[in-house]
Amino acid sequence: MSNDTEQRPAAGTSDGAADGPRWSRLSPRLLWVNLSMLAGPLALFAVTVALTGANLQAVISLGSLVITFLVITGISTMRLLTTRFRVTDERVELRSGLLFRSRRSVPFDRIRNVDIEAKPMHRLFGLTSLRIGTGEQTAASSRKLSLDGITRRDARQLRRLLIDRRGSGRVTGQDADVTIAEMDWAWLRYAPLTVWGVGSVFAGVGTVYRILHEMKVDPLELGIVKDVEDRFGSVPLWFGILVTVVITALLGAAISTATFVDAWTNYRLEREQDGGFRIRRGLLISRSVSIEERRLRGVELAEPMLLRWAGGASLSAIASGLSNTDENRSRCSLTPPVPRDEALRVASDVLAEEQSPTQMKLVPHTRAALRRRINRGLMVLAPVVALLLGLGLWLTPVLVHTAWITALVGLPVVIAFANDAYRALGHGVRDRYLVVRAGTFTRRTVALQRDGVIGWNISRSYFQRRNGLLTIGATTAGVGCYKVRDVSVGVGLAYAEEAVPQLLAPFIERVPRG
């Protein structure tokens, strides 16, 4: 954290109150939260002993886990006993540690965000965590000043105090916070259309298998697995594969739906009186995220393939000063998966525009970009077909038939995906924004403020040079690079000049005609 200072209390005073405002402590209720961390490992230990008959390897592994959690609980309790914080006229200060003491402070004008998050056990005891970020990106300063374990009432009051003293973007003149969007449970129909839930099924199965393997427990020898094998071991292979795919898809949809409910219950997007934005959401883990309007650089409309087919989309803010690109993505979601029209409405409200710039008609790219996408698809399909053909010639003729069927089916699929990716390509300039769109499995449309662009990143591969193409990316401070992919050289450079005049001019050598 930047601007770290040491504040030593005056000798003979209690908590250093003589040299400024009184130091405050974390809530004593945090002790119960720390002790509750042991409940999970102890319960897992008891269940494992009951199921495995006190297997020595399992007892040793889980015993190590319990000891680890005991150490973590001890460290957390020490943090409770040693942490002090206060707010002065100019800064917020924090000191903690017994053996290794840390004393840090952040001036109000360096505060970029004040977020509140409450995990389930914290909520059970009426506690929450308040995190203060400065938006800096170096390893030493990117850590947040965090108060983990204060009451909800104190967190709300402290957040309001810090925002008022910090000062924010423009003042709107409104007397109260204005709600831009709030939860509509009709949106739940979009939850199963996020495919990462299926990935969670495979990840969960792999994790369980690995844990059991480390405990020297063979999952295939468990009673429930043997019972399933006895009941369904004689069914045809194709039927077993079909049932497995259906069960995996249903489990994935269920996980995606449960995650949606947990992440977006109590969702509300508000424009606050100081002109900033506040996103509140969460069922088990309650979150409250703030974004300064003066840090807002644009919006990103994301349309994963299944969600796009259902007419849905999700919206994220593009904001600078949030430490790094990963943090921008994790905390700047403005909406859950919603109808596309709703996402566009929220985008126009957030950007204070009559119509969202992401709705503009974009300039299509040259047909050479389509050929590149077809070639990429064929480069994926060809090795698969070749592998099946080779194995078929070596092992069994069945795989030879599988190879030509894969080629026959895969070729139109490749061409269809390539055409979809080509149709997604586009770029344009509208008023204060440059707009970029690309993507097949997830189509992303970015509207970026032109005055936020600080440079252009131009790259050309060997095959792009042969086709007269380039990829040009608009870079912004603390946000990232947004690329216009596979655009012809003349069109790409003209686009950069139109979007941000004279920024690229010193690096262009103009060749006279004739």
Side-chain angles (χ1 to χ4, degrees), residues 211-247:
I211 291 174
L212 293 176
H213 180 72
E214 291 294 331
M215 295 178 179
K216 305 300 182 183
V217 177
D218 186 358
L220 300 179
E221 298 297 327
L222 293 177
I224 186 173
V225 177
K226 287 291 187 181
D227 184 59
V228 171
E229 184 178 358
D230 292 339
R231 288 175 178 269
F232 304 102
S234 60
V235 300
L237 178 61
W238 67 268
F239 183 75
I241 294 175
L242 178 62
V243 170
T244 302
V245 169
V246 171
I247 292 176

Side-chain angles (χ1 to χ4, degrees), residues 285-476:
I285 300 178
S286 176
R287 298 178 179 89
S288 174
V289 175
S290 59
I291 302 173
E292 289 184 277
E293 187 173 21
R294 63 181 177 181
R295 302 286 169 185
L296 189 67
R297 295 292 176 265
V299 295
E300 179 180 272
L301 186 75
E303 301 171 89
M305 181 174 289
L306 294 179
L307 190 60
R308 184 170 79 244
W309 291 347
S314 60
L315 188 73
S316 298
I318 300 173
S320 63
L322 298 180
S323 181
N324 53 52
T325 304
D326 291 337
E327 189 168 349
N328 270 283
R329 294 187 183 278
S330 65
R331 67 186 300 275
C332 283
S333 296
L334 295 178
T335 71
V338 298
R340 190 174 189 273
D341 289 342
E342 174 67 8
L344 294 174
R345 182 195 67 79
V346 173
S348 62
D349 284 352
V350 169
L351 299 177
E353 301 285 347
E354 291 186 3
Q355 187 180 44
S356 171
T358 57
Q359 293 179 264
M360 72 170 292
K361 185 177 181 179
L362 302 180
V363 178
H365 290 199
T366 177
R367 299 285 292 183
L370 172 60
R371 292 195 299 270
R372 278 178 54 81
R373 274 142 187 80
I374 294 176
N375 291 337
R376 289 175 184 172
L378 293 177
M379 290 175 64
V380 174
L381 178 64
V384 174
V385 174
L387 178 61
L388 291 173
L389 183 61
L391 292 175
L393 294 175
W394 181 31
L395 298 175
T396 172
V398 174
L399 291 179
V400 175
H401 296 295
T402 304
W404 70 260
I405 292 174
T406 301
L408 189 63
V409 174
L411 185 60
V413 171
V414 165
I415 294 176
F417 278 123
N419 275 278
D420 184 73
Y422 172 69
R423 287 193 300 269
L425 290 175
H427 62 276
V429 176
R430 176 177 175 178
D431 300 330
R432 297 188 300 124
Y433 298 91
L434 61 87
V435 183
V436 178
R437 187 180 65 204
T440 301
F441 297 104
T442 299
R443 180 174 297 177
R444 299 184 185 277
T445 307
V446 172
L448 188 66
Q449 291 179 358
R450 295 161 64 184
D451 56 9
V453 177
I454 62 173
W456 292 99
N457 186 334
I458 300 176
S459 61
R460 301 185 73 192
S461 68
Y462 170 75
F463 294 104
Q464 282 181 313
R465 291 196 297 272
R466 289 193 60 181
N467 289 279
L469 303 176
L470 57 77
T471 294
I472 183 166
T475 59
T476 58

Side-chain angles (χ1 to χ4, degrees), residues 101-368:
R101 295 186 177 181
S102 172
R103 301 189 179 188
R104 303 160 59 196
S105 67
V106 181
F108 294 135
D109 59 3
R110 300 303 298 273
I111 294 176
R112 297 293 177 264
N113 53 275
V114 185
D115 299 341
I116 297 175
E117 179 177 304
K119 297 178 180 178
M121 293 309 300
H122 284 72
R123 296 181 68 182
L124 182 62
F125 293 98
L127 301 178
T128 190
S129 298
L130 185 139
R131 298 190 173 103
I132 304 168
T134 62
E136 298 187 13
Q137 300 185 34
T138 61
S141 65
S142 62
R143 298 171 301 168
K144 296 186 177 190
L145 192 154
S146 181
L147 302 177
D148 295 318
I150 59 177
T151 64
R152 288 192 292 263
R153 177 174 174 272
D154 289 344
R156 288 194 294 266
Q157 291 179 347
L158 185 55
R159 177 186 179 275
R160 188 73 263 168
L161 175 63
L162 294 177
I163 289 178
D164 289 344
R165 293 194 179 182
R166 173 194 68 185
S168 193
R170 63 185 178 87
V171 177
T172 63
Q174 62 197 34
D175 297 328
D177 297 344
V178 175
T179 299
I180 297 176
E182 57 185 340
M183 188 61 186
D184 182 349
W185 284 107
W187 301 341
L188 189 63
R189 66 184 185 273
Y190 296 113
L193 302 179
T194 51
V195 297
W196 68 266
V198 175
S200 300
V201 175
F202 290 108
V205 171
T207 301
V208 171
Y209 181 86
R210 183 178 180 85
I211 291 174
L212 293 176
H213 180 72
E214 291 294 331
M215 295 178 179
K216 305 300 182 183
V217 177
D218 186 358
L220 300 179
E221 298 297 327
L222 293 177
I224 186 173
V225 177
K226 287 291 187 181
D227 184 59
V228 171
E229 184 178 358
D230 292 339
R231 288 175 178 269
F232 304 102
S234 60
V235 300
L237 178 61
W238 67 268
F239 183 75
I241 294 175
L242 178 62
V243 170
T244 302
V245 169
V246 171
I247 292 176
T248 302
L250 292 176
L251 286 176
I255 291 174
S256 296
T257 302
T259 303
F260 180 97
V261 172
D262 175 53
W264 294 102
T265 296
N266 301 318
Y267 161 73
R268 183 184 295 269
L269 170 62
E270 298 173 321
R271 184 189 296 273
E272 298 188 292
Q273 298 176 44
D274 60 3
F277 301 98
R278 185 181 185 186
I279 305 103
R280 291 185 285 184
R281 61 189 179 95
L283 178 62
L284 297 179
I285 300 178
S286 176
R287 298 178 179 89
S288 174
V289 175
S290 59
I291 302 173
E292 289 184 277
E293 187 173 21
R294 63 181 177 181
R295 302 286 169 185
L296 189 67
R297 295 292 176 265
V299 295
E300 179 180 272
L301 186 75
E303 301 171 89
M305 181 174 289
L306 294 179
L307 190 60
R308 184 170 79 244
W309 291 347
S314 60
L315 188 73
S316 298
I318 300 173
S320 63
L322 298 180
S323 181
N324 53 52
T325 304
D326 291 337
E327 189 168 349
N328 270 283
R329 294 187 183 278
S330 65
R331 67 186 300 275
C332 283
S333 296
L334 295 178
T335 71
V338 298
R340 190 174 189 273
D341 289 342
E342 174 67 8
L344 294 174
R345 182 195 67 79
V346 173
S348 62
D349 284 352
V350 169
L351 299 177
E353 301 285 347
E354 291 186 3
Q355 187 180 44
S356 171
T358 57
Q359 293 179 264
M360 72 170 292
K361 185 177 181 179
L362 302 180
V363 178
H365 290 199
T366 177
R367 299 285 292 183

Side-chain angles (χ1 to χ4, degrees), residues 14-15 22-28 80-86 95 147 149-151 154:
S14 173
D15 279 341
R22 186 177 184 84
W23 292 88
S24 301
R25 300 171 180 263
L26 301 179
S27 173
L80 164 64
L81 298 176
T82 61
T83 299
R84 304 288 186 276
F85 66 93
R86 69 177 180 179
R95 66 184 190 185
L147 302 177
I150 59 177
T151 64
D154 289 344

